[in-house]
Amino acid sequence: MQIQQLPSKTLTGIKIRTSNADEMNSGTAQITELWEKFSHKHGQKLTTNSKVYGVYTNYESDVSGEFDVIACCDDLSLADKHSVKVTTVAGSYLVFKGEGEMPDAVIDLWGEIWQYFSSDECRYTRTYSSDYEYYKSSNQIEIAIAVKE
């Protein structure tokens, strides 16, 4: 992981509102279905230049509150009446990198992130402004967590 100054990004996609508690319960989890909808709706329209993101924003409070998840991409031409636009916050991010089969690589990397932020060695405080997953390839993921410096 490394600290980076990242610019804001304007992206388009589809949104849900959820919580970590809801995502731990198969009866209330929504993120998998969100990505299935995004893939069905936009998968065929994405080009090799399209960048795919998962944005976490509009946090109610912290890790225990509700938040929005937007499955999205940087190709704003894909926006339609059912899409939302989201702009990430420019600033300091702690960027974690992972590789492997999806979605396991994403799940494992989020586990590493939660472990880091709950450890005594954690030097950073999350801002809960906007965090995001960047899908670099079919087996590479970067997760950027907004932090105070």
Side-chain angles (χ1 to χ4, degrees):
M1 82 189 118
Q2 67 182 53
I3 195 81
Q4 294 181 23
Q5 293 299 312
L6 298 176
S8 65
K9 296 170 186 16
T10 299
L11 309 162
T12 188
I14 54 178
K15 175 179 87 167
I16 58 162
R17 184 112 179 124
T18 191
S19 69
N20 285 320
D22 285 347
E23 293 306 312
M24 298 299 169
N25 179 332
S26 62
T28 55
Q30 303 178 70
I31 293 177
T32 299
E33 184 178 323
L34 171 72
W35 281 106
E36 288 170 359
K37 285 181 184 176
F38 179 82
S39 178
H40 178 74
K41 182 177 181 178
H42 296 299
Q44 298 293 327
K45 300 173 194 169
L46 296 174
T47 69
T48 55
N49 295 327
S50 299
K51 294 180 180 173
V52 176
Y53 296 86
V55 176
Y56 298 73
T57 191
N58 295 324
Y59 286 93
E60 179 180 51
S61 55
D62 56 17
V63 71
S64 62
E66 290 188 345
F67 50 89
D68 291 343
V69 181
I70 303 101
C72 51
C73 67
D74 64 346
D75 186 348
L76 300 182
S77 72
L78 298 180
D80 63 21
K81 66 181 182 178
H82 302 291
S83 299
V84 296
K85 278 189 180 173
V86 62
T87 302
T88 62
V89 176
S92 298
Y93 285 82
L94 195 55
V95 179
F96 296 77
K97 297 179 182 186
E99 279 188 42
E101 189 173 327
M102 303 295 173
D104 295 339
V106 178
I107 294 165
D108 292 346
L109 194 55
W110 273 110
E112 181 183 323
I113 291 165
W114 292 330
Q115 185 176 13
Y116 174 76
F117 280 101
S118 65
S119 76
D120 292 337
E121 288 82 42
C122 179
R123 297 182 10 212
Y124 299 97
T125 302
R126 291 182 66 180
T127 65
Y128 294 99
S129 54
S130 64
D131 305 313
Y132 58 90
E133 303 159 345
Y134 168 44
Y135 293 86
K136 289 186 74 166
S137 71
S138 63
N139 68 344
Q140 290 181 311
I141 180 80
E142 290 183 0
I143 301 179
I145 305 294
V147 294
K148 298 175 189 171
E149 269 203 276

